[in-house]
Amino acid sequence: MTQKIIVSGGAGYIGSHTAVALQNAGFEVVVFDNLSNSKSDSLDGVMRITGVRPLFEQIDCTDTNAMRDAFARHRDAVGVIHFAALKAVGESVEKPLMYYRNNLGGLINILDAMAEFNVNNIVFSSSATVYGVPEKLPATEETPLQPATSPYGSTKVMGENIIRDTVQAKPNMRAVLLRYFNPIGAHPSGEIGELPNGIPNNLMPYITQTAAGIREHLNVFGDDYDTPDGFCVRDYIDVNDLAAAHVAALRHMLGGAQGVNVFNLGTGRGTSVMELIRAFESATGVKVPYKIAPRRAGDVPAIWADATKAERVLGWRATTALTDTLASAWRWQQKVSEKN
Ligand code: NAD
Ligand code: UDP
Protein backbone atom coordinates (compact mmCIF):
# COMPACT_ATOMS: atom_id res chain seq x y z
CA MET A 1 0.00 0.00 0.00
CA THR A 2 1.22 3.51 -0.76
CA GLN A 3 2.44 5.29 2.33
CA LYS A 4 1.37 8.90 2.83
CA ILE A 5 3.81 11.54 4.04
CA ILE A 6 2.86 15.02 5.28
CA VAL A 7 5.38 17.55 3.97
CA SER A 8 5.06 20.87 5.78
CA GLY A 9 6.63 23.69 3.77
CA GLY A 10 6.43 21.39 0.75
CA ALA A 11 5.80 24.24 -1.70
CA GLY A 12 9.17 25.77 -0.80
CA TYR A 13 12.64 25.25 -2.19
CA ILE A 14 13.84 22.09 -0.45
CA GLY A 15 10.31 20.82 0.17
CA SER A 16 9.34 20.79 -3.51
CA HIS A 17 12.48 18.86 -4.46
CA THR A 18 11.77 16.43 -1.65
CA ALA A 19 8.19 16.00 -2.88
CA VAL A 20 9.66 14.91 -6.22
CA ALA A 21 12.02 12.45 -4.54
CA LEU A 22 9.23 11.04 -2.34
CA GLN A 23 6.83 10.59 -5.24
CA ASN A 24 9.52 9.00 -7.37
CA ALA A 25 10.17 6.62 -4.47
CA GLY A 26 6.49 5.61 -4.41
CA PHE A 27 5.22 7.68 -1.46
CA GLU A 28 2.03 9.73 -1.56
CA VAL A 29 2.69 13.36 -0.61
CA VAL A 30 0.42 15.87 1.06
CA VAL A 31 1.85 19.36 1.33
CA PHE A 32 0.89 21.66 4.22
CA ASP A 33 2.01 25.20 3.34
CA ASN A 34 0.72 28.74 3.96
CA LEU A 35 2.59 30.00 0.85
CA SER A 36 4.22 32.75 2.94
CA ASN A 37 7.49 32.20 1.05
CA SER A 38 6.44 30.17 -1.98
CA LYS A 39 3.85 29.80 -4.72
CA SER A 40 1.67 26.81 -5.44
CA ASP A 41 3.22 26.85 -8.95
CA SER A 42 6.01 24.75 -7.46
CA LEU A 43 3.49 21.93 -7.04
CA ASP A 44 2.65 22.20 -10.74
CA GLY A 45 6.39 21.86 -11.36
CA VAL A 46 6.41 18.71 -9.22
CA MET A 47 3.55 17.40 -11.35
CA ARG A 48 5.38 18.10 -14.61
CA ILE A 49 8.38 16.16 -13.31
CA THR A 50 6.64 13.20 -11.67
CA GLY A 51 3.23 13.10 -13.36
CA VAL A 52 1.49 13.59 -10.01
CA ARG A 53 0.50 16.82 -8.25
CA PRO A 54 0.94 16.42 -4.51
CA LEU A 55 -2.19 16.84 -2.41
CA PHE A 56 -2.21 20.37 -1.03
CA GLU A 57 -3.58 21.91 2.16
CA GLN A 58 -3.07 25.67 2.30
CA ILE A 59 -2.70 26.09 6.04
CA ASP A 60 -0.53 27.82 8.56
CA CYS A 61 1.27 25.44 10.92
CA THR A 62 0.85 27.96 13.73
CA ASP A 63 -2.95 27.63 13.49
CA THR A 64 -3.61 24.92 16.05
CA ASN A 65 -7.17 24.12 15.02
CA ALA A 66 -6.42 24.12 11.29
CA MET A 67 -3.51 21.78 11.91
CA ARG A 68 -5.62 19.37 13.93
CA ASP A 69 -8.30 19.37 11.23
CA ALA A 70 -5.73 18.76 8.51
CA PHE A 71 -4.14 15.91 10.44
CA ALA A 72 -7.63 14.46 10.95
CA ARG A 73 -8.08 14.46 7.16
CA HIS A 74 -4.71 12.75 6.73
CA ARG A 75 -4.66 10.47 9.76
CA ASP A 76 -3.46 7.69 7.46
CA ALA A 77 -0.07 9.44 7.11
CA VAL A 78 2.91 7.43 8.34
CA GLY A 79 5.28 10.35 8.78
CA VAL A 80 5.92 14.07 8.63
CA ILE A 81 8.78 15.97 7.06
CA HIS A 82 8.76 19.37 8.70
CA PHE A 83 10.31 22.05 6.47
CA ALA A 84 7.91 24.89 7.26
CA ALA A 85 9.91 27.72 8.79
CA LEU A 86 11.03 31.27 8.17
CA LYS A 87 14.73 31.29 7.30
CA ALA A 88 16.10 34.81 6.82
CA VAL A 89 18.82 35.25 9.43
CA GLY A 90 18.86 39.09 9.29
CA GLU A 91 15.07 39.36 9.47
CA SER A 92 15.09 37.08 12.50
CA VAL A 93 17.30 39.59 14.33
CA GLU A 94 14.78 42.35 13.54
CA LYS A 95 11.70 40.28 14.32
CA PRO A 96 12.70 37.59 16.82
CA LEU A 97 9.22 36.88 18.14
CA MET A 98 7.88 36.33 14.64
CA TYR A 99 10.58 33.69 14.17
CA TYR A 100 10.01 31.97 17.51
CA ARG A 101 6.24 32.01 16.99
CA ASN A 102 6.38 30.70 13.45
CA ASN A 103 9.20 28.17 13.69
CA LEU A 104 8.58 26.83 17.18
CA GLY A 105 4.80 27.39 17.39
CA GLY A 106 4.44 25.48 14.11
CA LEU A 107 6.65 22.65 15.30
CA ILE A 108 4.76 22.31 18.59
CA ASN A 109 1.42 22.14 16.76
CA ILE A 110 2.80 19.46 14.47
CA LEU A 111 4.09 17.38 17.37
CA ASP A 112 0.77 17.73 19.21
CA ALA A 113 -1.22 16.68 16.16
CA MET A 114 1.15 13.78 15.51
CA ALA A 115 0.55 12.50 19.05
CA GLU A 116 -3.21 12.93 18.73
CA PHE A 117 -3.44 11.09 15.41
CA ASN A 118 -0.74 8.53 16.10
CA VAL A 119 1.61 9.65 13.34
CA ASN A 120 4.93 8.64 14.85
CA ASN A 121 7.79 9.57 12.51
CA ILE A 122 9.19 13.05 11.98
CA VAL A 123 12.08 14.37 9.94
CA PHE A 124 13.18 17.86 11.02
CA SER A 125 15.06 20.44 8.93
CA SER A 126 17.94 21.55 11.10
CA SER A 127 21.06 23.36 10.02
CA ALA A 128 24.84 23.44 10.28
CA THR A 129 24.29 26.78 12.01
CA VAL A 130 23.89 24.77 15.25
CA TYR A 131 27.68 24.16 15.21
CA GLY A 132 28.53 27.89 15.25
CA VAL A 133 32.30 28.22 14.74
CA PRO A 134 33.49 24.63 15.21
CA GLU A 135 36.81 24.05 16.97
CA LYS A 136 37.65 21.22 14.60
CA LEU A 137 36.76 20.65 10.96
CA PRO A 138 34.99 18.92 9.39
CA ALA A 139 32.00 19.09 11.74
CA THR A 140 30.70 15.70 12.82
CA GLU A 141 27.38 15.04 14.53
CA GLU A 142 29.38 14.92 17.80
CA THR A 143 30.82 18.42 17.33
CA PRO A 144 29.56 20.43 20.33
CA LEU A 145 26.68 22.76 19.59
CA GLN A 146 27.26 26.44 20.26
CA PRO A 147 24.85 29.15 21.32
CA ALA A 148 23.14 30.41 18.19
CA THR A 149 24.14 33.79 16.81
CA SER A 150 20.63 34.69 15.58
CA PRO A 151 17.04 34.02 16.60
CA TYR A 152 16.74 31.92 13.42
CA GLY A 153 19.64 29.75 14.57
CA SER A 154 18.08 29.53 18.04
CA THR A 155 14.88 28.14 16.53
CA LYS A 156 16.92 25.27 15.06
CA VAL A 157 18.73 24.45 18.34
CA MET A 158 15.46 24.76 20.28
CA GLY A 159 13.54 22.80 17.64
CA GLU A 160 15.99 19.91 18.00
CA ASN A 161 15.57 20.01 21.80
CA ILE A 162 11.78 20.17 21.61
CA ILE A 163 11.80 17.07 19.43
CA ARG A 164 14.27 15.22 21.70
CA ASP A 165 12.12 15.92 24.78
CA THR A 166 8.96 14.86 22.95
CA VAL A 167 10.44 11.57 21.75
CA GLN A 168 11.81 10.96 25.24
CA ALA A 169 8.29 11.31 26.63
CA LYS A 170 6.61 9.26 23.89
CA PRO A 171 8.53 6.06 23.28
CA ASN A 172 6.58 5.11 20.14
CA MET A 173 7.72 8.30 18.46
CA ARG A 174 10.86 8.51 16.31
CA ALA A 175 12.74 11.42 14.81
CA VAL A 176 15.54 12.19 12.42
CA LEU A 177 17.22 15.57 12.72
CA LEU A 178 18.91 16.57 9.47
CA ARG A 179 21.57 19.26 9.70
CA TYR A 180 21.84 20.78 6.24
CA PHE A 181 25.00 22.50 5.13
CA ASN A 182 24.48 24.87 2.14
CA PRO A 183 21.80 23.62 -0.26
CA ILE A 184 22.12 24.99 -3.81
CA GLY A 185 20.97 24.19 -7.35
CA ALA A 186 17.65 23.21 -8.84
CA HIS A 187 15.95 20.23 -10.40
CA PRO A 188 17.79 19.37 -13.65
CA SER A 189 14.49 19.71 -15.57
CA GLY A 190 14.35 23.42 -14.72
CA GLU A 191 10.77 22.93 -13.47
CA ILE A 192 11.43 23.78 -9.80
CA GLY A 193 14.09 25.75 -7.95
CA GLU A 194 14.73 28.43 -5.36
CA LEU A 195 12.56 31.56 -5.49
CA PRO A 196 14.12 34.14 -3.20
CA ASN A 197 11.94 37.02 -2.13
CA GLY A 198 13.49 40.37 -3.09
CA ILE A 199 17.25 40.80 -2.84
CA PRO A 200 18.79 37.40 -2.07
CA ASN A 201 20.70 36.94 1.18
CA ASN A 202 22.33 33.72 0.03
CA LEU A 203 25.31 33.42 -2.23
CA MET A 204 23.98 31.08 -4.93
CA PRO A 205 20.87 33.06 -5.94
CA TYR A 206 22.95 36.25 -5.73
CA ILE A 207 25.44 34.75 -8.17
CA THR A 208 22.75 33.64 -10.63
CA GLN A 209 20.90 36.97 -10.44
CA THR A 210 24.16 38.84 -11.04
CA ALA A 211 25.01 36.57 -13.98
CA ALA A 212 21.51 37.30 -15.36
CA GLY A 213 22.13 41.05 -15.07
CA ILE A 214 19.44 41.56 -12.40
CA ARG A 215 22.13 42.67 -9.91
CA GLU A 216 25.01 44.87 -11.00
CA HIS A 217 27.66 42.98 -9.10
CA LEU A 218 28.08 40.45 -6.33
CA ASN A 219 29.53 41.66 -3.04
CA VAL A 220 32.03 39.11 -1.81
CA PHE A 221 31.96 39.44 1.95
CA GLY A 222 35.58 39.41 3.11
CA ASP A 223 38.84 38.33 1.46
CA ASP A 224 41.06 38.23 4.53
CA TYR A 225 39.80 35.16 6.37
CA ASP A 226 42.26 32.64 7.74
CA THR A 227 41.42 30.16 4.96
CA PRO A 228 43.55 28.92 2.03
CA ASP A 229 42.48 31.73 -0.34
CA GLY A 230 41.18 34.21 2.26
CA PHE A 231 37.49 33.66 1.38
CA CYS A 232 34.83 31.96 3.50
CA VAL A 233 34.48 28.23 3.02
CA ARG A 234 31.18 26.32 2.97
CA ASP A 235 29.91 22.88 2.01
CA TYR A 236 27.55 23.40 -0.95
CA ILE A 237 25.21 20.45 -1.41
CA ASP A 238 22.96 19.80 -4.39
CA VAL A 239 19.29 20.20 -3.42
CA ASN A 240 18.36 16.96 -5.23
CA ASP A 241 20.94 15.04 -3.21
CA LEU A 242 19.54 16.68 -0.10
CA ALA A 243 16.01 15.65 -1.11
CA ALA A 244 17.15 12.05 -1.57
CA ALA A 245 18.50 12.04 1.99
CA HIS A 246 14.99 12.75 3.31
CA VAL A 247 13.68 9.63 1.61
CA ALA A 248 16.56 7.63 3.12
CA ALA A 249 15.86 9.12 6.57
CA LEU A 250 12.17 8.22 6.37
CA ARG A 251 12.95 4.68 5.29
CA HIS A 252 15.37 4.40 8.20
CA MET A 253 12.57 5.21 10.65
CA LEU A 254 9.90 3.20 8.86
CA GLY A 255 12.38 0.32 8.92
CA GLY A 256 12.37 0.45 12.72
CA ALA A 257 15.14 2.83 13.84
CA GLN A 258 14.23 4.01 17.34
CA GLY A 259 14.66 7.29 19.19
CA VAL A 260 16.28 10.40 17.74
CA ASN A 261 18.94 10.12 15.06
CA VAL A 262 21.01 13.04 13.81
CA PHE A 263 22.74 13.33 10.44
CA ASN A 264 24.87 15.94 8.75
CA LEU A 265 23.92 16.46 5.12
CA GLY A 266 26.80 17.82 3.12
CA THR A 267 29.31 16.73 0.54
CA GLY A 268 32.29 16.54 2.89
CA ARG A 269 34.05 19.14 0.72
CA GLY A 270 34.74 22.76 1.50
CA THR A 271 34.48 25.34 -1.32
CA SER A 272 35.40 29.00 -0.94
CA VAL A 273 33.25 31.86 -2.20
CA MET A 274 35.80 32.59 -4.94
CA GLU A 275 36.03 28.93 -5.92
CA LEU A 276 32.25 28.85 -6.26
CA ILE A 277 32.23 31.96 -8.45
CA ARG A 278 34.96 30.51 -10.69
CA ALA A 279 33.24 27.11 -10.86
CA PHE A 280 29.99 28.84 -11.84
CA GLU A 281 31.75 30.79 -14.58
CA SER A 282 33.37 27.71 -16.03
CA ALA A 283 30.18 25.58 -15.76
CA THR A 284 28.06 28.19 -17.55
CA GLY A 285 30.46 30.33 -19.55
CA VAL A 286 28.88 33.41 -17.95
CA LYS A 287 30.91 36.03 -16.05
CA VAL A 288 29.94 37.10 -12.54
CA PRO A 289 31.03 40.68 -11.85
CA TYR A 290 32.01 41.01 -8.20
CA LYS A 291 33.54 43.43 -5.72
CA ILE A 292 35.30 42.61 -2.51
CA ALA A 293 33.22 43.97 0.36
CA PRO A 294 33.71 44.02 4.14
CA ARG A 295 33.07 40.86 6.11
CA ARG A 296 29.39 40.20 6.88
CA ALA A 297 28.62 40.20 10.62
CA GLY A 298 28.09 36.74 12.04
CA ASP A 299 29.71 34.81 9.18
CA VAL A 300 31.61 31.68 10.18
CA PRO A 301 35.04 31.64 8.44
CA ALA A 302 34.89 28.01 7.41
CA ILE A 303 32.63 25.00 7.88
CA TRP A 304 32.12 21.78 6.04
CA ALA A 305 30.55 18.46 6.94
CA ASP A 306 31.76 15.09 7.91
CA ALA A 307 28.82 13.31 6.27
CA THR A 308 30.12 9.77 6.71
CA LYS A 309 27.47 8.88 9.31
CA ALA A 310 24.69 9.38 6.76
CA GLU A 311 26.56 7.15 4.34
CA ARG A 312 27.19 4.46 6.95
CA VAL A 313 23.72 4.43 8.49
CA LEU A 314 21.38 5.65 5.74
CA GLY A 315 23.34 4.46 2.73
CA TRP A 316 23.13 8.01 1.39
CA ARG A 317 25.77 10.32 0.05
CA ALA A 318 25.89 13.38 -2.17
CA THR A 319 26.69 12.31 -5.73
CA THR A 320 25.95 15.28 -8.00
CA ALA A 321 29.01 16.99 -9.49
CA LEU A 322 29.31 20.68 -8.55
CA THR A 323 29.37 21.59 -12.26
CA ASP A 324 25.98 19.96 -12.79
CA THR A 325 24.55 21.65 -9.71
CA LEU A 326 25.74 25.07 -10.91
CA ALA A 327 24.38 24.42 -14.40
CA SER A 328 21.00 23.54 -12.89
CA ALA A 329 20.99 26.74 -10.81
CA TRP A 330 21.67 28.74 -13.97
CA ARG A 331 19.02 26.91 -16.01
CA TRP A 332 16.47 27.73 -13.31
CA GLN A 333 17.53 31.38 -13.14
CA GLN A 334 17.15 31.76 -16.90
CA LYS A 335 13.69 30.26 -16.74
CA VAL A 336 12.65 32.58 -13.91
CA SER A 337 14.11 35.58 -15.77
CA GLU A 338 12.17 34.64 -18.92
CA LYS A 339 8.88 34.61 -17.00
CA ASN A 340 9.42 38.03 -15.39
P1 NAD B 1 11.53 27.96 1.80
O1 NAD B 1 11.18 29.29 2.41
O2 NAD B 1 11.69 27.87 0.35
O3 NAD B 1 10.44 26.88 2.25
C1 NAD B 1 9.77 26.94 3.48
C2 NAD B 1 8.29 26.77 3.19
O4 NAD B 1 7.58 26.80 4.43
C3 NAD B 1 7.71 27.89 2.33
O5 NAD B 1 6.98 27.31 1.27
C4 NAD B 1 6.80 28.67 3.27
O6 NAD B 1 5.69 29.22 2.59
C5 NAD B 1 6.43 27.59 4.27
N1 NAD B 1 6.08 28.08 5.61
C6 NAD B 1 6.79 28.90 6.41
N2 NAD B 1 6.14 29.09 7.57
C7 NAD B 1 4.99 28.37 7.50
C8 NAD B 1 3.90 28.16 8.37
N3 NAD B 1 3.83 28.75 9.57
N4 NAD B 1 2.91 27.34 7.97
C9 NAD B 1 2.94 26.74 6.75
N5 NAD B 1 3.94 26.91 5.89
C10 NAD B 1 4.95 27.71 6.25
O7 NAD B 1 12.83 27.45 2.58
P2 NAD B 1 13.77 26.20 2.27
O8 NAD B 1 15.10 26.73 1.84
O9 NAD B 1 13.07 25.21 1.44
O10 NAD B 1 13.97 25.65 3.74
C11 NAD B 1 13.24 24.54 4.24
C12 NAD B 1 13.70 24.23 5.66
O11 NAD B 1 15.09 23.96 5.65
C13 NAD B 1 13.50 25.38 6.64
O12 NAD B 1 13.13 24.82 7.89
C14 NAD B 1 14.87 25.99 6.73
O13 NAD B 1 15.08 26.64 7.96
C15 NAD B 1 15.75 24.76 6.61
N6 NAD B 1 17.11 25.04 6.15
C16 NAD B 1 17.29 25.69 4.95
C17 NAD B 1 18.58 25.97 4.51
C18 NAD B 1 18.79 26.71 3.21
O14 NAD B 1 19.90 27.21 3.00
N7 NAD B 1 17.84 26.79 2.31
C19 NAD B 1 19.68 25.60 5.28
C20 NAD B 1 19.46 24.92 6.48
C21 NAD B 1 18.17 24.65 6.92
N1 UDP C 1 28.28 35.59 0.57
C1 UDP C 1 28.86 36.61 -0.16
N2 UDP C 1 28.05 37.48 -0.82
C2 UDP C 1 26.70 37.40 -0.80
C3 UDP C 1 26.10 36.35 -0.05
C4 UDP C 1 26.92 35.47 0.63
O1 UDP C 1 30.08 36.73 -0.21
O2 UDP C 1 26.02 38.23 -1.40
C5 UDP C 1 29.14 34.63 1.28
C6 UDP C 1 28.93 34.63 2.78
O3 UDP C 1 29.79 35.56 3.38
C7 UDP C 1 29.29 33.18 3.12
C8 UDP C 1 28.90 32.39 1.89
O4 UDP C 1 28.78 33.34 0.84
O5 UDP C 1 30.68 33.09 3.30
C9 UDP C 1 27.58 31.63 2.05
O6 UDP C 1 26.62 32.53 2.50
P1 UDP C 1 25.07 32.15 2.50
O7 UDP C 1 24.32 33.34 3.03
O8 UDP C 1 24.68 31.64 1.16
O9 UDP C 1 24.98 30.91 3.50
P2 UDP C 1 25.39 30.78 5.05
O10 UDP C 1 26.57 29.87 5.06
O11 UDP C 1 25.67 32.13 5.59
O12 UDP C 1 24.19 30.15 5.66
mmCIF file of all heavy atoms in Angstrom, residues 182 201-204 206 218-221 232 234 236 273 296 299, ligand 2:
data_model
loop_
_atom_site.group_PDB
_atom_site.id
_atom_site.type_symbol
_atom_site.label_atom_id
_atom_site.label_comp_id
_atom_site.label_asym_id
_atom_site.label_seq_id
_atom_site.Cartn_x
_atom_site.Cartn_y
_atom_site.Cartn_z
ATOM 1 N N ASN A 182 25.038 23.808 2.997
ATOM 2 C CA ASN A 182 24.480 24.869 2.143
ATOM 3 C C ASN A 182 23.822 24.299 0.887
ATOM 4 O O ASN A 182 24.516 24.001 -0.088
ATOM 5 C CB ASN A 182 25.583 25.868 1.763
ATOM 6 C CG ASN A 182 26.028 26.709 2.945
ATOM 7 O OD1 ASN A 182 26.416 26.170 3.976
ATOM 8 N ND2 ASN A 182 25.950 28.007 2.828
ATOM 9 N N ASN A 201 19.691 36.912 0.112
ATOM 10 C CA ASN A 201 20.702 36.941 1.178
ATOM 11 C C ASN A 201 21.785 35.917 0.900
ATOM 12 O O ASN A 201 22.914 36.064 1.335
ATOM 13 C CB ASN A 201 20.064 36.568 2.530
ATOM 14 C CG ASN A 201 19.077 37.615 2.979
ATOM 15 O OD1 ASN A 201 19.419 38.788 3.059
ATOM 16 N ND2 ASN A 201 17.845 37.195 3.257
ATOM 17 N N ASN A 202 21.406 34.855 0.215
ATOM 18 C CA ASN A 202 22.327 33.718 0.034
ATOM 19 C C ASN A 202 23.176 33.876 -1.217
ATOM 20 O O ASN A 202 22.781 34.528 -2.182
ATOM 21 C CB ASN A 202 21.547 32.399 -0.023
ATOM 22 C CG ASN A 202 20.831 32.116 1.281
ATOM 23 O OD1 ASN A 202 19.614 32.140 1.334
ATOM 24 N ND2 ASN A 202 21.583 31.893 2.340
ATOM 25 N N LEU A 203 24.325 33.241 -1.162
ATOM 26 C CA LEU A 203 25.310 33.418 -2.226
ATOM 27 C C LEU A 203 24.831 32.913 -3.595
ATOM 28 O O LEU A 203 24.960 33.612 -4.600
ATOM 29 C CB LEU A 203 26.608 32.694 -1.814
ATOM 30 C CG LEU A 203 27.748 32.756 -2.816
ATOM 31 C CD1 LEU A 203 28.166 34.192 -3.104
ATOM 32 C CD2 LEU A 203 28.945 31.947 -2.302
ATOM 33 N N MET A 204 24.286 31.693 -3.624
ATOM 34 C CA MET A 204 23.981 31.083 -4.926
ATOM 35 C C MET A 204 22.972 31.899 -5.734
ATOM 36 O O MET A 204 23.234 32.250 -6.885
ATOM 37 C CB MET A 204 23.502 29.640 -4.731
ATOM 38 C CG MET A 204 23.422 28.850 -6.019
ATOM 39 S SD MET A 204 25.057 28.490 -6.667
ATOM 40 C CE MET A 204 25.073 29.402 -8.169
ATOM 41 N N TYR A 206 22.338 34.954 -5.417
ATOM 42 C CA TYR A 206 22.950 36.251 -5.732
ATOM 43 C C TYR A 206 23.860 36.104 -6.951
ATOM 44 O O TYR A 206 23.894 36.967 -7.846
ATOM 45 C CB TYR A 206 23.718 36.829 -4.532
ATOM 46 C CG TYR A 206 23.636 38.335 -4.511
ATOM 47 C CD1 TYR A 206 22.852 39.011 -3.572
ATOM 48 C CD2 TYR A 206 24.295 39.099 -5.487
ATOM 49 C CE1 TYR A 206 22.736 40.389 -3.597
ATOM 50 C CE2 TYR A 206 24.186 40.480 -5.516
ATOM 51 C CZ TYR A 206 23.399 41.118 -4.571
ATOM 52 O OH TYR A 206 23.277 42.486 -4.603
ATOM 53 N N LEU A 218 28.170 41.216 -7.577
ATOM 54 C CA LEU A 218 28.083 40.453 -6.325
ATOM 55 C C LEU A 218 29.049 41.081 -5.330
ATOM 56 O O LEU A 218 30.189 41.402 -5.686
ATOM 57 C CB LEU A 218 28.505 39.002 -6.611
ATOM 58 C CG LEU A 218 28.765 38.110 -5.398
ATOM 59 C CD1 LEU A 218 27.461 37.716 -4.723
ATOM 60 C CD2 LEU A 218 29.527 36.849 -5.827
ATOM 61 N N ASN A 219 28.598 41.275 -4.094
ATOM 62 C CA ASN A 219 29.525 41.661 -3.036
ATOM 63 C C ASN A 219 30.083 40.391 -2.412
ATOM 64 O O ASN A 219 29.323 39.566 -1.909
ATOM 65 C CB ASN A 219 28.806 42.479 -1.961
ATOM 66 C CG ASN A 219 28.500 43.882 -2.454
ATOM 67 O OD1 ASN A 219 29.388 44.582 -2.942
ATOM 68 N ND2 ASN A 219 27.240 44.275 -2.366
ATOM 69 N N VAL A 220 31.385 40.255 -2.463
ATOM 70 C CA VAL A 220 32.028 39.114 -1.808
ATOM 71 C C VAL A 220 32.407 39.578 -0.410
ATOM 72 O O VAL A 220 33.241 40.484 -0.249
ATOM 73 C CB VAL A 220 33.273 38.662 -2.605
ATOM 74 C CG1 VAL A 220 34.049 37.609 -1.823
ATOM 75 C CG2 VAL A 220 32.855 38.131 -3.970
ATOM 76 N N PHE A 221 31.790 38.962 0.580
ATOM 77 C CA PHE A 221 31.960 39.442 1.947
ATOM 78 C C PHE A 221 33.263 38.927 2.566
ATOM 79 O O PHE A 221 33.295 37.843 3.137
ATOM 80 C CB PHE A 221 30.764 39.010 2.813
ATOM 81 C CG PHE A 221 29.437 39.560 2.344
ATOM 82 C CD1 PHE A 221 28.297 38.762 2.351
ATOM 83 C CD2 PHE A 221 29.319 40.876 1.902
ATOM 84 C CE1 PHE A 221 27.068 39.254 1.936
ATOM 85 C CE2 PHE A 221 28.090 41.378 1.478
ATOM 86 C CZ PHE A 221 26.961 40.567 1.493
ATOM 87 N N CYS A 232 35.580 32.900 2.649
ATOM 88 C CA CYS A 232 34.831 31.965 3.503
ATOM 89 C C CYS A 232 34.626 30.631 2.782
ATOM 90 O O CYS A 232 34.427 30.598 1.558
ATOM 91 C CB CYS A 232 33.455 32.520 3.821
ATOM 92 S SG CYS A 232 33.425 33.749 5.091
ATOM 93 N N ARG A 234 32.426 27.015 2.620
ATOM 94 C CA ARG A 234 31.183 26.321 2.969
ATOM 95 C C ARG A 234 31.125 24.987 2.229
ATOM 96 O O ARG A 234 31.877 24.752 1.285
ATOM 97 C CB ARG A 234 29.947 27.143 2.534
ATOM 98 C CG ARG A 234 29.786 28.472 3.230
ATOM 99 C CD ARG A 234 29.356 28.299 4.675
ATOM 100 N NE ARG A 234 29.150 29.587 5.318
ATOM 101 C CZ ARG A 234 30.116 30.312 5.880
ATOM 102 N NH1 ARG A 234 31.357 29.883 5.884
ATOM 103 N NH2 ARG A 234 29.834 31.470 6.456
ATOM 104 N N TYR A 236 28.723 23.184 -0.105
ATOM 105 C CA TYR A 236 27.550 23.396 -0.952
ATOM 106 C C TYR A 236 27.021 22.055 -1.447
ATOM 107 O O TYR A 236 27.722 21.335 -2.158
ATOM 108 C CB TYR A 236 27.914 24.317 -2.125
ATOM 109 C CG TYR A 236 28.298 25.696 -1.648
ATOM 110 C CD1 TYR A 236 29.643 26.052 -1.453
ATOM 111 C CD2 TYR A 236 27.318 26.644 -1.336
ATOM 112 C CE1 TYR A 236 29.986 27.322 -0.981
ATOM 113 C CE2 TYR A 236 27.661 27.912 -0.862
ATOM 114 C CZ TYR A 236 28.993 28.238 -0.689
ATOM 115 O OH TYR A 236 29.328 29.489 -0.213
ATOM 116 N N VAL A 273 34.122 30.998 -1.403
ATOM 117 C CA VAL A 273 33.249 31.860 -2.201
ATOM 118 C C VAL A 273 33.860 32.066 -3.588
ATOM 119 O O VAL A 273 33.173 31.943 -4.611
ATOM 120 C CB VAL A 273 33.039 33.223 -1.496
ATOM 121 C CG1 VAL A 273 32.267 34.183 -2.402
ATOM 122 C CG2 VAL A 273 32.302 33.042 -0.173
ATOM 123 N N ARG A 296 30.780 40.089 6.425
ATOM 124 C CA ARG A 296 29.386 40.195 6.881
ATOM 125 C C ARG A 296 29.340 39.742 8.340
ATOM 126 O O ARG A 296 29.884 38.679 8.670
ATOM 127 C CB ARG A 296 28.497 39.302 6.007
ATOM 128 C CG ARG A 296 27.025 39.339 6.349
ATOM 129 C CD ARG A 296 26.183 38.601 5.319
ATOM 130 N NE ARG A 296 26.357 37.156 5.359
ATOM 131 C CZ ARG A 296 25.673 36.292 4.613
ATOM 132 N NH1 ARG A 296 24.779 36.736 3.739
ATOM 133 N NH2 ARG A 296 25.886 34.989 4.706
ATOM 134 N N ASP A 299 29.290 35.895 10.068
ATOM 135 C CA ASP A 299 29.713 34.805 9.178
ATOM 136 C C ASP A 299 30.794 33.938 9.824
ATOM 137 O O ASP A 299 31.758 34.449 10.401
ATOM 138 C CB ASP A 299 30.242 35.356 7.846
ATOM 139 C CG ASP A 299 29.155 35.499 6.794
ATOM 140 O OD1 ASP A 299 28.068 34.887 6.980
ATOM 141 O OD2 ASP A 299 29.371 36.212 5.803
HETATM 142 N N1 UDP B 2 28.277 35.594 0.571
HETATM 143 C C1 UDP B 2 28.860 36.613 -0.156
HETATM 144 N N2 UDP B 2 28.050 37.481 -0.818
HETATM 145 C C2 UDP B 2 26.698 37.400 -0.797
HETATM 146 C C3 UDP B 2 26.098 36.346 -0.054
HETATM 147 C C4 UDP B 2 26.919 35.473 0.628
HETATM 148 O O1 UDP B 2 30.085 36.732 -0.209
HETATM 149 O O2 UDP B 2 26.015 38.228 -1.396
HETATM 150 C C5 UDP B 2 29.145 34.633 1.279
HETATM 151 C C6 UDP B 2 28.932 34.625 2.776
HETATM 152 O O3 UDP B 2 29.790 35.556 3.377
HETATM 153 C C7 UDP B 2 29.292 33.184 3.125
HETATM 154 C C8 UDP B 2 28.903 32.389 1.894
HETATM 155 O O4 UDP B 2 28.780 33.339 0.840
HETATM 156 O O5 UDP B 2 30.679 33.088 3.303
HETATM 157 C C9 UDP B 2 27.585 31.630 2.045
HETATM 158 O O6 UDP B 2 26.618 32.534 2.498
HETATM 159 P P1 UDP B 2 25.070 32.152 2.499
HETATM 160 O O7 UDP B 2 24.323 33.344 3.032
HETATM 161 O O8 UDP B 2 24.675 31.637 1.160
HETATM 162 O O9 UDP B 2 24.976 30.915 3.503
HETATM 163 P P2 UDP B 2 25.395 30.776 5.047
HETATM 164 O O10 UDP B 2 26.571 29.866 5.061
HETATM 165 O O11 UDP B 2 25.668 32.132 5.586
HETATM 166 O O12 UDP B 2 24.188 30.149 5.657
#
